Amino acid sequence: MNAYKKVISDYEALHPDVSIDYQTFPYDVYNQKLKASFSAKSPPDIAEMFGTWVPEYSKNGLLAEIPGSEQLQTEYYEAPLGGYTLNGKLYGLPLEFNIENGGMLIHPEMLKEHGIANPPATWDELVADAKLLTVRDGKRIKVKGFDFVSGDNITFTFLSMILQQNGKYWGEDDHVNFQTPEAQKAMSALTDLVANDKVADLTTFGGELDTSDYFFQGRSAMTYRGPWTVAAGLNTYKVKDFEYVPVPSFTTNPPSFSAESGWGIVASEKSKQQKAAVDFITYMSSNDNLLAWNQSTFTVPAKKAVAENPEFLKSNPYMKTSLDILQLGKWIGPIADRDFFFKTINDHFQLMATGQEAVEKGLQNIEKTINESQDQHK
């Protein structure tokens, strides 16, 4: 909030004829409020949107085009721009790189106590280390060796494991294709972590706390989570004895991954102040303003020049793991209903991990259910 107020104040100082009324809303009502305002033809001049929401608006001609699309697309990483792009044109600009892959929280002392000198460098090492690090109290897991069982990371890890095999998960007509050898191998390995390797379980899935909260409470040795969790460890839990390190690729290929386009700003096509709104977006997206915004919000830069600025890493040293792989990120793709997409994969993952559904059948059900949803939103 303060980051927005600062850039708004600076812009108003440069443009005395412009006044920006900044309003905030709780996250759980914001998306519906946005939809209602656009449907009622009384949208805000400028709105913050999550990138996955944007196509619904841009396809219906509700957003103003950002000029200079061709040049801007060279200045940003691919994944953050995906949701804001339609037919080669940009309808808004991302403020962050919404990355949930490539890095994990670890307790170095836990590794040392189990004779592990360094973080795992390969997937096989990751699984082997996770088994050593798992602490049991009878049949119950007391400390998880490698916790990845969260609402976001199950899906993101599955998709990244497909990409790291040089596979694809989109077919034709905006349909997913999970009937591939790569998808089968990825989901089998993922469910094995729970069913056979037993380095994690489903006991806390869907609860009030995030997997990172359990990590900072000492209930997991390695937790696959995005870099935004680092701030919670430092500021909320006051934990200092942890590191944020790379997650090895599932294969010998580079650790490519899928990412949603994160939070960004758009301007309404119907705005009477469209010129000023677009100008503010351009102003906020300058290298200096984005650097300040990303630093103060502890978010990963979507713009290459900001991510490559030594000042950013200097102020956020825990971000190095994420910064090193941003160029490997791929846009997650044209998901019509984000929550439904993730929930479908998560629901069937639980069935497969507990032996209630075979992997092959589970992937068939996921594909069928998601593609029916995709068709409903056309």
Side-chain angles (χ1 to χ4, degrees), residues 202-214:
L202 306 176
T203 55
T204 60
F205 183 65
E208 292 184 7
L209 295 181
D210 187 76
T211 51
S212 60
D213 292 304
Y214 294 113

Side-chain angles (χ1 to χ4, degrees), residues 119-140:
T122 67
W123 186 263
D124 287 344
E125 286 183 14
L126 173 68
V127 176
D129 289 352
K131 289 179 180 179
L132 285 174
L133 291 163
T134 302
V135 179
R136 304 183 189 284
D137 181 4
K139 292 185 178 181
R140 185 177 67 91

Side-chain angles (χ1 to χ4, degrees), residues 75-95:
E75 297 177 7
Y76 286 78
Y77 293 104
E78 174 191 333
L81 278 187
Y84 296 88
T85 307
L86 178 65
N87 298 326
K89 297 179 180 179
L90 289 174
Y91 293 88
L93 287 174
L95 299 172

Side-chain angles (χ1 to χ4, degrees), residues 63-326:
L63 303 180
E65 180 187 346
I66 305 299
S69 295
E70 188 172 339
Q71 174 59 33
L72 287 169
Q73 289 180 48
T74 68
E75 297 177 7
Y76 286 78
Y77 293 104
E78 174 191 333
L81 278 187
Y84 296 88
T85 307
L86 178 65
N87 298 326
K89 297 179 180 179
L90 289 174
Y91 293 88
L93 287 174
L95 299 172
E96 58 152 356
F97 194 125
N98 188 58
I99 181 173
E100 291 290 350
N101 285 94
M104 62 180 175
L105 303 158
I106 68 166
H107 288 296
E109 285 303 315
M110 287 189 183
L111 272 67
K112 291 178 182 177
E113 288 169 5
H114 289 80
I116 303 171
N118 299 298
T122 67
W123 186 263
D124 287 344
E125 286 183 14
L126 173 68
V127 176
D129 289 352
K131 289 179 180 179
L132 285 174
L133 291 163
T134 302
V135 179
R136 304 183 189 284
D137 181 4
K139 292 185 178 181
R140 185 177 67 91
I141 295 180
K142 186 177 180 181
V143 178
K144 298 176 184 179
F146 177 60
D147 193 4
F148 66 96
V149 185
S150 68
D152 284 343
N153 278 85
I154 291 169
T155 296
F156 280 122
T157 306
F158 171 52
L159 299 181
S160 72
M161 291 165 79
I162 293 174
L163 295 178
Q164 288 163 16
Q165 297 174 75
N166 292 325
K168 298 179 180 179
Y169 55 87
W170 285 105
E172 298 179 354
D173 201 25
D174 290 350
H175 280 187
V176 294
N177 176 15
F178 292 139
Q179 304 304 303
T180 64
E182 293 85 3
Q184 295 267 352
K185 186 175 181 180
M187 186 57 78
S188 294
L190 206 58
T191 54
D192 275 350
L193 291 171
V194 173
N196 297 321
D197 303 319
K198 300 184 185 301
V199 299
D201 58 29
L202 306 176
T203 55
T204 60
F205 183 65
E208 292 184 7
L209 295 181
D210 187 76
T211 51
S212 60
D213 292 304
Y214 294 113
F215 171 83
F216 291 119
Q217 292 173 4
R219 293 171 63 181
S220 66
M222 303 186 295
T223 293
Y224 201 172
R225 212 63 177 101
W228 58 271
T229 56
V230 170
L234 296 174
N235 302 326
T236 303
Y237 286 94
K238 309 298 182 183
V239 176
K240 297 267 176 81
D241 58 340
F242 72 94
E243 294 177 6
Y244 192 72
V245 303
V247 173
S249 173
F250 184 54
T251 68
T252 56
N253 295 321
S256 52
F257 62 95
S258 292
E260 295 177 274
S261 297
W263 291 101
I265 42 179
V266 301
S268 169
E269 175 66 17
K270 301 296 183 182
S271 170
K272 294 180 180 179
Q273 308 298 330
Q274 184 188 125
K275 184 177 179 181
V278 171
D279 186 66
F280 174 78
I281 292 174
T282 302
Y283 172 79
M284 187 169 180
S285 301
S286 70
N287 292 348
D288 288 345
N289 285 331
L290 276 183
L291 174 62
W293 195 88
N294 289 132
Q295 285 176 318
S296 62
T297 58
F298 202 83
T299 49
V300 180
K303 201 171 188 180
K304 296 174 183 177
V306 180
E308 294 167 359
N309 189 325
E311 288 300 314
F312 179 79
L313 185 58
K314 183 179 179 181
S315 61
N316 293 294
Y318 282 96
M319 289 286 191
K320 185 180 188 308
T321 290
S322 297
L323 295 178
D324 286 346
I325 61 168
L326 296 185

Side-chain angles (χ1 to χ4, degrees), residues 1-12:
M1 185 181 297
N2 289 334
Y4 271 119
K5 289 181 178 179
K6 173 67 167 62
V7 73
I8 287 172
S9 175
D10 290 346
Y11 184 83
E12 289 178 333

